[in-house]
Amino acid sequence: MKKHILLLMALSGLTVSCSKLDETVYSSIFTTNFYRTASDAEAGIAAAAGSLINLYGFPLVAVSDFAADQAYPRAVVGRNTITLFSYDPYYTAQRNSGRHETEGPQGVWRFSYKGIENANWVIEKVPAIPMDAQRRTEIVAEAYALRALYHWTLTKTFNEIPVKTRASSNEAEALVTKSSRTDIYKQIYSDLDQAVAGLPSYSTSLVKGRPSKEAIQGLYAKIALYNEDWAKASQLAQATISSGKYALMPSALDVFDVDKEDAARVENMWAVEADRVTPSRWLTVMGIAGPRNSSGPDYAKVSYGSWFAYQNFFNSFSPSDKRRQLLDTTYRDVSGKIVPQKDITPVTPKGVLIRKYRDPNSIAEANNCNFPIIRLADVYLVAAEAEARQNGATATAYGYINTVRKRAGLGDLTPGLGKDAFIAAVLQERSWELFAEADRWFDLTRTNTFLTVIPKAVNDVYPTRTPQAKHRYYPIPLEEIQANPKLTQNPGWE
């Protein structure tokens, strides 16, 4: 029990100084000694949000983008198993290469539940703290938003998962059985309702990294879309758009310009905020996406050349689509020389660089690139799809998708499409707009199109890719099942 309580405290972002291992440790560190002041409340919500850096720093990107049809990793052990669908429930390759938490589903599981545990403590303890009432309400509402986001991340990755709504003071409370999809979304909806009710509307004075009411409405709309709750998705997406609190940046390139991040918050409604100087706030995505051997100064001080876009995905963009400029087939090296595509990487002569995450002023491996959780362009496309799912390709649905296309420099979508063709066009637009944002794999799995799409996403590095029906969801990490007798493995992975 002592070890378990110590583990709980470590996962909650709290530290305890112990002079010896057998010293008596009391779980009242949470209930009595910590959640007493306004600063404790702020520390608690910071700990709950801390898992976002861990999740979006790389595990969620690996889980989604390494498996999908837009981009692929350099074929090193651990990463290539996700692309080739050759992983096992123990994630042996990732574990043997030391990447079992940083680059795969184990990290999604661990960091999501760590965030949930921290959010639960905030929800349970902060309401009793004597402090500014408005700020207290906002902190608790943000904890609800985070708990919803973490549960949604888990369910779209693993399907049925344990729903955790109480903080764990002992081992028995930590071991929870799976919930049905219906019950998972019921809890997520409840948490999001609490969040929307308590969060402030967006203003430029909102502290960066904190979600607004409208941002959570937008996220809520996307989550409802995943739940095939078309009416709710449509209503919430429209409410977010019509609030007038957010707007698309003039150019999609501006959203990912590290020097325009403050201005880009008008579109990037909720993002994982990184900085160059705080180790716990670094994101490694940029270094993975940049040229090999740190040879591209426009990308980063340190980069590895480990993540590229498929040539066919690059070719799918219209030349007039400004978003194609967020990919590149050449780059400028440290001497100022233009490196041609055939020399981008020794892995393939058709390497395509991902330019969404670049910070020329990065410090070593640390960068200042924010990673979107939900942005307004995404909400427009949610609105377009939800409208079409209910009512077909209406003028309203066309208006939403054409707003995104216009910003990209494209003409209006072909008029007169049938319902299915229009929805397919929205999914394609999502692929172009949201590539490399940990989104595409989940679009393919929620629509159950991955079995036909993925086998076509091949190149000379990965000439054959053969997903099976069981790959729609990742297997629950075997070590979690071994630790929790109430857990059962996903179908096909037993």
Side-chain angles (χ1 to χ4, degrees):
M1 181 60 67
K2 294 173 185 175
K3 289 182 179 178
H4 179 71
I5 294 170
L6 281 169
L7 176 61
L8 284 174
M9 288 187 287
L11 292 183
S12 296
L14 303 175
T15 58
V16 177
S17 175
C18 297
S19 60
K20 54 183 179 179
L21 289 177
D22 62 351
E23 182 175 346
T24 301
V25 181
Y26 298 98
S27 59
S28 61
I29 180 79
F30 298 116
T31 59
T32 303
N33 297 334
F34 182 67
Y35 284 102
R36 302 177 69 179
T37 68
S39 61
D40 292 344
E42 297 289 355
I45 194 62
S51 283
L52 295 176
I53 281 283
N54 300 122
L55 268 177
Y56 289 86
F58 212 61
L60 196 56
V61 171
V63 161
S64 178
D65 291 303
F66 285 3
D69 62 332
Q70 300 165 333
Y72 61 94
R74 184 162 47 88
V76 294
V77 173
R79 295 172 186 163
N80 61 358
T81 62
I82 295 179
T83 306
L84 293 172
F85 304 98
S86 59
Y87 47 85
D88 59 88
Y90 195 61
Y91 299 104
T92 304
Q94 286 89 341
R95 183 174 298 279
N96 289 345
S97 60
R99 300 189 178 103
H100 60 290
E101 289 183 347
T102 58
E103 295 187 13
Q106 309 96 309
V108 174
W109 184 279
R110 177 194 172 190
F111 296 124
S112 293
Y113 277 113
K114 178 181 177 181
I116 289 167
E117 182 72 12
N118 288 332
N120 284 338
W121 284 109
V122 171
I123 291 166
E124 290 180 20
K125 300 300 179 184
V126 168
I129 295 177
M131 60 180 292
D132 178 79
Q134 179 59 37
R135 181 61 189 141
R136 182 175 58 210
T137 297
E138 292 171 3
I139 287 173
V140 174
E142 184 176 344
Y144 277 115
L146 288 163
R147 190 169 75 179
L149 174 62
Y150 293 136
H151 276 126
W152 179 57
T153 299
L154 286 161
T155 193
K156 68 181 180 177
T157 304
F158 300 103
N159 196 20
E160 293 185 346
I161 49 94
V163 171
K164 189 78 167 52
T165 58
R166 294 291 303 275
S168 299
S169 298
N170 56 63
E171 186 172 359
E173 293 175 354
L175 303 179
V176 181
T177 190
K178 285 182 177 181
S179 293
S180 68
R181 176 185 170 91
T182 298
D183 287 343
I184 293 166
Y185 275 93
K186 182 179 179 180
Q187 184 60 54
I188 291 172
Y189 279 22
S190 175
D191 284 354
L192 291 171
D193 286 336
Q194 294 276 7
V196 169
L199 287 170
S201 287
Y202 174 75
S203 71
T204 55
S205 63
L206 187 70
V207 175
K208 64 180 182 180
R210 289 179 181 167
S212 68
K213 169 185 175 180
E214 294 79 17
I216 298 307
Q217 283 181 319
L219 178 67
Y220 201 164
K222 186 171 182 177
I223 289 172
L225 189 79
Y226 271 63
N227 196 33
E228 300 184 357
D229 189 349
W230 315 128
K232 183 176 283 290
S234 181
Q235 180 263 319
L236 288 164
Q238 290 182 41
T240 305
I241 293 166
S242 64
S243 71
K245 296 292 184 178
Y246 293 94
L248 297 182
M249 292 287 283
S251 168
L253 278 63
D254 293 340
V255 181
F256 298 94
D257 186 333
V258 71
D259 294 323
K260 297 180 180 179
E261 285 182 343
D262 288 337
R265 288 189 183 89
V266 73
E267 174 176 343
N268 206 0
M269 300 188 293
W270 191 18
V272 182
E273 299 278 344
D275 70 57
R276 302 182 183 108
V277 297
T278 308
S280 62
R281 304 297 301 178
W282 294 350
L283 285 174
T284 60
V285 171
M286 174 205 64
I288 297 295
R292 62 179 175 138
N293 301 327
S294 306
S295 58
D298 295 334
Y299 283 78
K301 292 287 194 300
V302 176
S303 62
Y304 301 100
S306 297
W307 188 28
F308 304 97
Y310 287 104
Q311 182 71 48
N312 285 343
F313 177 63
F314 178 81
N315 293 344
S316 73
F317 284 84
S318 166
S320 61
D321 193 329
K322 297 175 183 177
R323 295 169 298 195
R324 194 173 77 161
Q325 296 175 47
L326 292 169
L327 299 166
D328 211 345
T329 53
T330 64
Y331 72 93
R332 181 180 64 88
D333 69 13
V334 292
S335 70
K337 177 184 175 182
I338 299 299
V339 177
Q341 184 177 21
K342 67 180 181 64
D343 295 328
I344 284 177
T345 171
V347 173
T348 172
K350 294 183 178 181
V352 178
L353 290 165
I354 297 167
R355 300 181 73 243
K356 271 193 170 179
Y357 309 105
R358 297 180 302 137
D359 184 2
N361 297 315
S362 58
I363 300 172
E365 297 183 46
N367 69 88
N368 200 40
C369 298
N370 293 344
F371 198 99
I373 296 173
I374 186 73
R375 57 187 180 92
L376 189 61
D378 193 350
V379 178
Y380 269 106
L381 296 175
V382 167
E385 183 178 343
E387 169 67 14
R389 296 278 188 184
Q390 294 182 100
N391 304 313
T394 63
T396 298
Y398 267 98
Y400 290 132
I401 191 173
N402 285 337
T403 297
V404 176
R405 289 175 62 84
K406 181 178 180 180
R407 197 267 295 271
L410 299 176
D412 288 349
L413 184 65
T414 305
L417 293 178
K419 178 178 179 179
D420 290 345
F422 181 88
I423 291 171
V426 175
L427 292 170
Q428 178 60 69
E429 203 68 43
R430 290 184 61 82
S431 181
W432 289 326
E433 179 68 32
L434 303 171
F435 76 87
E437 296 183 41
D439 189 80
R440 177 61 171 172
W441 174 248
F442 301 118
D443 264 352
L444 295 176
T445 53
R446 72 177 174 86
T447 56
N448 206 25
T449 53
F450 69 102
L451 288 172
T452 55
V453 170
I454 295 301
K456 300 173 185 176
V458 294
N459 61 6
D460 53 336
V461 183
Y462 296 101
T464 303
R465 301 178 66 209
T466 54
Q468 303 171 44
K470 70 178 184 179
H471 292 114
R472 181 171 183 175
Y473 298 106
Y474 283 92
I476 294 173
L478 185 58
E479 60 190 359
E480 300 295 336
I481 292 176
Q482 292 169 338
N484 182 358
K486 295 183 178 181
L487 272 183
T488 56
Q489 186 56 275
N490 286 335
W493 293 103
E494 299 91 342

